Amino acid sequence: MEIISYVQDNSRARSFRTLKTFSLPELQFRHKERSRSASLTTNIFSTELKSFGAQKVRSDFSIRTFFKTVGGNVSDAASYLIENIKMIGIITAIAIAFSAILFVSLSLVNHHKNHTGPLKLQIEGSEDIEALNKLMANFALEGKIDYDETGNLLDVDIPSVKPVFTQPVTFQTYKVRSGDTISGIAKKFGLTNISTLISVNDIGNVRQLAAGQKLKIPSIDGIVYTVKKGDSLSTITGKYKISLEQLLDVNELTSETLTAGQQLFLPGAAMDANSLRNAMGELFRMPIAAKFRWSSPYGYRIDPIAGVKSFHTGTDMACPTGTPILAAMSGKVTTTGINRVYGNYVIIDHGNGYQTLYAHMSKIIASKGQWVSQGTRIGLVGSTGYSTGPHLHFTVYKKGKLVDPMTVLK
């Protein structure tokens, strides 16, 4: 059998070319060889026979490449911002507005919850206010004040001309008895100013004097002065307006040289008014030690109860319910009670004509007749009585008259 192929040539006449001829066995052999070759090729690229793992592509780091990459990213980010600046501005404005609304809302909720607001008048409440004010006035009249603001005793004869002190000061000891007062002890020993005993005995609070306590009693009026670095006899005598000769005689000084820490007795001198008020317990501590807000001052205002101009007898300190209320000064709890205006309240008699009222408590801790020291917890802030929010109403009386609490608080 022969196989004949031909090729047609367009430019020439059709012609026949005799090709190589193969016998049938040869053709069968070649077919088998081609089949086996194709099978081998297939097996070589088959995934079942071989697998290839990806290798990490490494690139050398360089400063140039780094800055080129960063610069490209920054440029892309800047382009994005410029293209979308309007949308970004709108989103930012919405976020700020939402935050502001949330902050204001929370502040209003907190203010409403923890602070006082307008109150509605109930006519019968005015009777409670009047009764309580009379009660306070009666308490305030207890105790006789027998000294002035400088400490001079009022019912003793004080010479118009300053006495001359030529003798050394001497001291004796006195044991305080029940019922004694600082002014009474001063009178007993012929002294004319209560600051003499306070200074000599370094009394921090006259109200804390107790029976059995021992006091040093000087033979003449005056105060004790501790020499400071840089002091001289001339500066001390000039400041306290005393003569150098008397200072030397009273203290038996043989030299004008002073040393820091040395104590001198200044004859005829007295404590300054502020120091005296502090020692006499006339500088009250804040009755609220926690954070608070002054919500209504002492004096004339639009009354939150009646809605008309009236006189506010104390000051209001707004703070959360449960905030501790402290005794502004040591004294005796004379009254605890409740009424329709002030709610739960406590009255403390501090002596020397001073009384304080603490109102609108959520809870009264002190009990009637109890002696409390300055800073003692006597109750908790609340909103009892006529009040729309928790706060402390604080009132101060002196010698039967209302005083502005801000003038005695320190």
Side-chain angles (χ1 to χ4, degrees):
M1 180 179 181
E2 293 181 352
I3 297 176
I4 302 173
S5 71
Y6 66 94
V7 177
Q8 184 178 4
D9 189 350
N10 293 331
S11 62
R12 293 178 302 175
R14 181 179 301 171
S15 65
F16 295 91
R17 180 176 296 176
T18 303
L19 301 177
K20 185 177 180 180
T21 60
F22 297 94
S23 65
L24 181 60
E26 289 177 347
L27 289 174
Q28 290 177 343
F29 174 76
R30 288 178 177 275
H31 177 71
K32 288 180 180 180
E33 286 295 321
R34 288 173 181 173
S35 298
R36 191 169 67 176
S37 176
S39 176
L40 289 173
T41 303
T42 302
N43 289 338
I44 288 174
F45 293 98
S46 173
T47 57
E48 295 180 0
L49 296 177
K50 292 186 178 182
S51 61
F52 298 89
Q55 298 296 320
K56 185 176 181 180
V57 178
R58 297 183 179 178
S59 61
D60 295 333
F61 174 82
S62 68
I63 298 298
R64 180 180 179 183
T65 304
F66 172 76
F67 281 109
K68 183 177 180 181
T69 303
V70 172
N73 291 335
V74 172
S75 178
D76 292 342
S79 299
Y80 179 82
L81 289 175
I82 293 172
E83 293 173 0
N84 298 275
I85 189 66
K86 185 176 181 180
M87 182 58 67
I88 293 173
I90 293 173
I91 294 174
T92 304
I94 292 174
I96 294 174
F98 177 77
S99 301
I101 292 172
L102 181 62
F103 175 78
V104 172
S105 299
L106 292 176
S107 299
L108 290 175
V109 170
N110 182 66
H111 184 278
H112 177 73
K113 181 179 179 180
N114 294 326
H115 297 81
T116 57
L119 306 175
K120 293 183 179 180
L121 174 66
Q122 294 190 15
I123 301 302
E124 63 272 17
S126 60
E127 298 175 358
D128 288 329
I129 297 175
E130 184 178 356
L132 188 56
N133 284 340
K134 288 182 179 179
L135 186 64
M136 286 289 291
N138 290 336
F139 284 139
L141 292 174
E142 292 181 357
K144 182 182 178 183
I145 306 300
D146 50 5
Y147 57 87
D148 62 19
E149 293 182 353
T150 63
N152 289 321
L153 296 173
L154 299 176
D155 52 358
V156 297
D157 294 329
I158 299 178
S160 56
V161 179
K162 280 190 174 184
V164 177
F165 303 102
T166 57
Q167 298 299 317
V169 62
T170 58
F171 298 91
Q172 58 181 306
T173 302
Y174 176 76
K175 189 175 182 178
V176 178
R177 301 175 183 175
S178 179
D180 274 342
T181 63
I182 196 74
S183 56
I185 297 172
K187 291 177 187 177
K188 185 180 294 187
F189 289 93
L191 302 174
T192 61
N193 194 298
I194 60 174
S195 68
T196 296
L197 293 180
I198 294 171
S199 174
V200 169
N201 293 279
D202 194 22
I203 299 174
N205 190 340
V206 171
R207 303 178 196 281
Q208 294 178 354
L209 283 177
Q213 185 174 346
K214 292 182 178 181
L215 299 179
K216 288 173 60 178
I217 312 295
S219 56
I220 56 176
D221 278 300
I223 61 173
V224 173
Y225 178 80
T226 301
V227 176
K228 301 179 180 64
K229 186 177 180 180
D231 279 342
S232 66
L233 289 177
S234 60
T235 59
I236 295 173
T237 54
K239 180 178 179 180
Y240 290 93
K241 296 180 174 56
I242 56 178
S243 70
L244 177 59
E245 292 75 12
Q246 293 184 64
L247 181 61
L248 294 171
D249 290 342
V250 167
N251 291 278
E252 296 184 290
L253 296 176
T254 57
S255 171
E256 294 188 8
T257 302
L258 301 176
T259 57
Q262 180 181 355
Q263 289 193 327
L264 300 175
F265 187 85
L266 309 183
M271 295 172 63
D272 64 88
N274 196 56
S275 298
L276 180 61
R277 288 182 66 195
N278 189 46
M280 294 304 297
E282 295 183 4
L283 292 180
F284 290 69
R285 180 183 295 177
M286 288 288 184
I288 299 292
K291 185 177 180 180
F292 68 90
R293 179 179 68 88
W294 298 108
S295 57
S296 187
Y298 172 86
Y300 283 100
R301 61 165 188 173
I302 299 299
D303 196 312
I305 297 177
V308 296
K309 187 176 181 180
S310 63
F311 191 85
H312 190 217
T313 60
T315 186
D316 291 342
M317 307 166 73
C319 49
T321 297
T323 301
I325 299 172
L326 313 176
M329 179 54 65
S330 58
K332 183 179 180 181
V333 178
T334 54
T335 301
T336 64
I338 182 172
N339 69 30
R340 289 164 291 183
V341 174
Y342 290 119
N344 296 317
Y345 66 90
V346 169
I347 297 174
I348 300 178
D349 182 5
H350 304 287
N352 295 327
Y354 282 99
Q355 279 74 35
T356 51
L357 162 71
Y358 310 78
H360 301 301
M361 294 181 175
S362 61
K363 181 180 179 181
I364 296 174
I365 296 177
S367 53
K368 183 177 180 179
Q370 177 185 355
W371 173 266
V372 293
S373 299
Q374 187 180 57
T376 299
R377 184 180 298 193
I378 60 173
L380 303 177
V381 169
S383 189
T384 56
Y386 292 130
S387 170
T388 59
H391 71 287
L392 169 67
H393 174 87
F394 180 61
T395 297
V396 179
Y397 274 86
K398 181 180 180 181
K399 300 180 184 180
K401 296 181 180 180
L402 287 166
V403 297
D404 185 350
M406 301 305 295
T407 63
V408 296
L409 287 171
K410 62 176 178 180

